[in-house]
């Protein structure tokens, strides 16, 4: 448990790197910061275990029509361990309301998003594959939520079209530079099932590079610089590996499996990314062609391994 307020925290993936010398050899380090969650969802145990002993109509009313649904592995078929005494899918009771639905409404929403939705879909399916099979990554998530795949399936997605799109390059008085990438994603901490992951439309989930904005730490005018590659952990932006890592990291916050890393205080976000990779790296990379990896792997291994 954490002492932070629930429902008001969000998580974002950004990148900062420092280096001395020329820009040709950056030593990039990634971190994830929090920002005010524009779509706070009140924490509720209902979210995690939406097949509870409350009436299905009440549960689904709370969660809005877009969150109904379930597929072959609907949690309604296997009630969460925390609420074992009622199976709302009992055909004599609530099945017509909440459990006979075979539509994947989240998928339908993603399809309606167009190209961004296709990218989210690709990563979402990859994460579902990982969580539904036996591996170190799925075992890690199941420690917190035995039905983690089903919980993940309920998550919604939004694209922040107003998010930051530039890499801030801050020059110190000396030869030091600091890079801060646009955030990649954010979600409320410990929000459980039906939470919404917000992805920055200008971040590394969707893009492999971003424009730089160069300024001085002490203030003054900033000037536009050239484009710069942006990454998620060790992976190039806009790759399946990067997108999969983003969703796994955010899901770690949804389940409160990862601690809050608001604004990357004390490098918490990097630690969290490293923690995800420690359990999930093999699965993230298992079906990803090596050619999708970023050349910017150089210099980042130290902070992530
Ligand atoms: Zn985080």
């Amino acid at each position: 448990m954490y002492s932070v307020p629930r429902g008001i925290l969000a998580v974002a993936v950004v990148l900062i790197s420092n280096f001395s010398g020329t820009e040709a050899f950056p030593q990039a380090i990634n971190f994830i910061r929090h920002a005010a969650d524009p779509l706070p969802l009140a924490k509720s145990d209902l979210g995690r275990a939406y097949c509870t002993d409350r009436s299905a109509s009440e549960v689904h009313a709370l969660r809005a029509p877009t969150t109904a649904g379930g597929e072959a592995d609907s949690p309604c078929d296997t009630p969460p361990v925390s609420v074992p005494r009622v199976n709302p899918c009992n055909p004599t009771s609530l099945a017509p309301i909440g459990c006979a639905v075979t539509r994947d409404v989240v998928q339908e929403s993603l399809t309606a998003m167009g190209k961004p939705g296709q990218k989210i879909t690709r990563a979402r399916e990859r994460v579902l594959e990982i969580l539904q099979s036996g591996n170190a990554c799925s075992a890690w998530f199941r420690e917190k939520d035995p039905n983690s795949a089903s919980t993940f399936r309920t998550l919604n997605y939004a694209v922040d079209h107003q998010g930051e799109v530039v890499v801030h390059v801050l020059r110190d008085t000396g030869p030091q530079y600091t890079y801060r990438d646009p955030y990649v994603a954010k979600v409320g901490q410990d929000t459980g099932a039906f939470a919404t992951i917000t992805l920055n439309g200008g971040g590394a989930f969707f893009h492999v590079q971003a424009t730089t904005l160069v300024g001085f730490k002490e203030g003054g005018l900033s000037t536009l610089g050239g484009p710069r590659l942006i990454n998620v952990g060790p992976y190039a932006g806009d790759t399946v590996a990067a997108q999969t890592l983003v969703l796994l990291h955010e899901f770690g916050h949804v389940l409160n499996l990862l601690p809050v890393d608001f604004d990357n205080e004390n490098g918490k976000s990097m630690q969290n990314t490293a923690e995800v990779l420690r359990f999930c790296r093999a699965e993230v990379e298992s079906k990803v062609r090596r050619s999708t990896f970023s050349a910017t792997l150089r210099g980042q291994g130290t902070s992530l391994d």
Side-chain angles (χ1 to χ4, degrees):
M1 295 296 293
Y2 302 94
S3 59
V4 297
R6 291 167 169 170
I8 62 170
L9 295 174
V11 183
V13 183
V14 297
L15 177 149
I16 273 191
S17 62
N18 296 292
F19 73 92
S20 300
T22 70
E23 290 194 31
F25 300 98
Q27 292 179 338
I29 52 175
N30 280 6
F31 73 90
I32 297 178
R33 67 177 170 83
H34 285 263
D37 187 351
L39 298 170
L41 288 176
K43 168 64 173 68
S44 167
D45 289 338
L46 284 173
R48 189 74 44 77
Y50 55 94
C51 293
T52 69
D53 55 357
R54 293 184 180 228
S55 77
S57 58
E58 178 184 1
V59 171
H60 286 276
L62 285 170
R63 294 298 173 184
T66 58
T67 56
E71 294 182 340
D73 70 336
S74 164
C76 297
D77 296 328
T78 309
V81 171
S82 58
V83 283
R85 67 185 180 85
V86 172
N87 179 357
C89 293
N90 185 324
T92 63
S93 59
L94 302 171
I97 298 173
C99 299
V101 179
T102 57
R103 293 167 54 206
D104 185 342
V105 292
V106 174
Q107 183 54 58
E108 290 174 7
S109 171
L110 292 174
T111 300
M113 285 186 189
K115 191 171 183 179
Q118 292 173 13
K119 294 183 178 182
I120 299 168
T121 294
R122 185 175 60 175
R124 177 178 184 255
E125 290 178 349
R126 185 75 193 97
V127 171
L128 284 170
E129 286 176 16
I130 293 171
L131 295 178
Q132 288 171 343
S133 57
N135 55 68
C137 186
S138 61
W140 181 52
F141 282 99
R142 285 172 189 161
E143 285 177 10
K144 196 74 173 183
D145 180 355
N147 298 300
S148 56
S150 298
T151 301
F152 180 81
R153 192 185 297 277
T154 70
L155 301 184
N156 296 287
Y157 301 88
V159 178
D160 178 5
H161 294 288
Q162 310 300 322
E164 268 191 340
V165 298
V166 299
V167 177
H168 288 278
V169 184
L170 297 176
R171 298 182 63 178
D172 224 331
T173 52
Q176 295 290 330
Y177 288 77
T178 299
Y179 292 85
R180 191 182 71 195
D181 280 13
Y183 87 89
V184 178
K186 56 190 176 183
V187 72
Q189 180 76 15
D190 197 14
T191 38
F194 302 101
T196 296
I197 293 175
T198 299
L199 300 160
N200 181 10
F205 190 94
F206 297 107
H207 301 282
V208 68
Q209 65 182 30
T211 300
T212 52
L213 191 62
V214 185
F216 291 90
K217 286 184 177 177
E218 55 267 32
L221 289 176
S222 296
T223 57
L224 286 175
R228 176 179 166 83
L229 295 175
I230 50 179
N231 310 314
V232 179
Y235 311 119
D238 196 26
T239 61
V240 176
Q243 292 153 346
T244 301
L245 178 57
V246 169
L247 297 192
L248 288 171
H249 184 124
E250 300 309 305
F251 189 42
H253 286 297
V254 167
L255 295 185
N256 208 20
L257 184 59
L258 292 176
V260 169
D261 51 18
F262 181 77
D263 212 18
N264 193 37
E265 290 178 8
N266 301 317
K268 271 289 184 184
S269 178
M270 283 186 296
Q271 295 173 26
N272 283 338
T273 294
E275 186 75 349
V276 176
L277 287 171
R278 185 159 74 92
F279 293 99
C280 300
R281 187 165 200 153
E283 292 304 315
V284 168
E285 298 178 0
S286 65
K287 293 184 179 178
V288 178
R289 288 178 290 116
R290 302 295 300 182
S291 60
T292 63
F293 282 65
S294 168
T296 56
L297 277 167
R298 65 180 185 276
Q300 297 191 26
T302 303
S303 63
L304 292 165
D305 288 343

